Amino acid sequence: MKIAFIGLGNMGGPMALNLHKAGHDVGAFDLSKPACDKLAADGVRISTDAGDCVANVDVVISMLPASAHVEALYLGQGGQPGLLPQLPAGTLVIDCSTIAAATSRKVADAARAQGVAFIDAPVSGGTGGAIAGTLTFMVGGDAADLERARPVLEKMGANIFHAGAVGAGQTAKICNNMLLGILMAGTSEAIALGVANGLDAKVLSEIMRRSSGGNWALEKYNPWPGVMEAAPASRQYAGGFGTDLMLKDLGLAQENAMAVKAATPLGGLARNLYASHSLAGHGALDFSSIVFAVQKPKKTAG
Ligand code: NAD
């Protein structure tokens, strides 16, 4: 299968590499040269631009930051045409970015009008899951289009769920990430409380992991430095899932909640916590750095 992969960041890079390793003919593109260079070093073919990348492919996959990037890529912006008119009828587009469900539906409608199939397939599992090929895909779209995508998705993930029609994958994803944002803040708070009382962060984390407070952050993504060697907290919160991306997802959850008059008090609080954290200059750090909001500041010399 010939695949175009657009967006080679923390998630897209390892996902594209897994498709390449599985023997697919992958052409990849990102606006960032370092992101392209990294994949080129692993033997993946890099295209000169997005248009070149999608020439004669069966499947286009995108993994971009937010709604505006996806809309601009496929539908165009500022008088520049998007990619859709270049895709022949029968092409399958799989957008794995986390974006507004309404944007997924808008792009899907435009795609359908020219015979191109579109599914939204946002993911969960973090950069660790992207590297290991164990992501969870939450798919919105026609069942037949999901079946076409399945052999490709299986090379990047371990769980594939059909959430419903186009946009339903995005709705499932923001419900999940609203919960993730809340539980990372809550986990940080609980560890900070224990440490302020003289407990060892590692010992307390293990106690809670095996108790009723156990959760994904304690299992795989501990926010306290030094507790988990592979977690972003143990490498100055570099890489991983950016605070600004979490803030975007919590904003999407709030927009969605307003549209359907849902009550999301903790989701609203979490959005404000991450917004303050971003305003304090931490937007590019991994979202588990939200622990700064509850950590005792380190003593400075003098
Ligand atoms: P990232 O910022 O690391 O990567 C995004 C990449 O897209 C960048 O390299 C950027 O240069 C590129 N890009 C932007 N516009 C482009 C365009 N028009 N053409 C080509 N490349 C373009 O982000 P990420 O962490 O890889 O996340 C990507 C998406 O996946 C986001 O929607 C995010 O919310 C979601 N997500 C991230 C994680 C995670 O743990 N990082 C987990 C699940 C979902």
Side-chain angles (χ1 to χ4, degrees):
M1 189 134 22
K2 199 165 176 202
I3 300 172
F5 204 114
I6 300 173
L8 310 172
N10 291 327
M11 296 296 286
M15 290 165 73
L17 184 58
N18 280 335
L19 292 175
H20 168 74
K21 283 182 183 164
H24 288 296
D25 179 358
V26 179
F29 176 69
D30 194 295
L31 293 175
S32 145
K33 191 174 175 318
C36 292
D37 290 348
K38 207 168 163 199
L39 267 207
D42 286 317
V44 178
R45 183 165 42 84
I46 301 298
S47 304
T48 48
D49 57 35
D52 173 49
C53 192
V54 301
N56 304 314
V57 299
D58 307 294
V59 175
V60 179
I61 303 178
S62 42
M63 191 50 162
L64 303 179
S67 300
H69 305 87
V70 175
E71 192 166 336
L73 179 73
Y74 291 110
L75 306 183
Q77 72 171 356
Q80 294 293 318
L83 280 186
L84 275 186
Q86 296 185 46
L87 303 180
T91 310
L92 172 64
V93 172
I94 305 173
D95 179 44
C96 297
S97 328
T98 305
I99 62 170
T103 305
S104 297
R105 287 192 283 266
K106 186 175 174 186
V107 177
D109 286 347
R112 195 176 304 115
Q114 58 177 83
V116 169
F118 177 98
I119 61 172
D120 51 305
V123 305
S124 178
T127 47
I131 293 166
T134 56
L135 291 170
T136 293
F137 284 93
M138 309 168 199
V139 176
D142 290 348
D145 294 333
L146 166 55
E147 288 319 307
R148 273 182 72 195
R150 192 178 291 278
V152 176
L153 301 182
E154 278 173 349
K155 304 295 186 311
M156 302 182 283
N159 302 297
I160 301 167
F161 292 104
H162 189 193
V166 169
Q170 298 296 351
T171 304
K173 172 66 184 170
I174 54 150
C175 292
N176 179 76
N177 274 26
M178 185 177 80
L179 178 58
L180 174 62
I182 294 166
L183 71 81
M184 186 59 83
T187 301
S188 299
E189 203 170 298
I191 300 175
L193 176 63
V195 169
N197 279 280
L199 296 193
D200 179 275
K202 228 177 202 170
V203 173
L204 174 61
S205 292
E206 187 57 10
I207 292 171
M208 295 193 295
R209 186 178 79 83
R210 289 170 176 262
S211 303
S212 45
N215 65 60
W216 186 83
L218 290 169
E219 287 289 341
K220 298 196 169 152
Y221 218 94
N222 197 294
W224 206 268
V227 172
M228 223 169 244
E229 212 177 295
S234 296
R235 48 170 198 266
Q236 284 83 44
Y237 302 93
F241 180 41
T243 292
D244 281 343
L245 289 178
M246 173 53 89
L247 179 57
K248 168 207 54 159
D249 291 358
L250 290 167
L252 289 172
Q254 291 306 290
E255 280 170 25
N256 185 294
M258 282 192 281
V260 297
K261 295 188 182 166
T264 51
L266 293 180
L269 180 56
R271 199 207 75 84
N272 277 309
L273 277 176
Y274 287 91
S276 301
H277 189 52
S278 177
L279 284 171
H282 307 307
L285 295 183
D286 180 77
F287 81 113
S288 62
S289 61
I290 193 68
V291 72
F292 295 174
V294 290
Q295 236 171 4
K296 206 170 172 183
K298 284 197 188 87
K299 279 194 188 127
T300 48

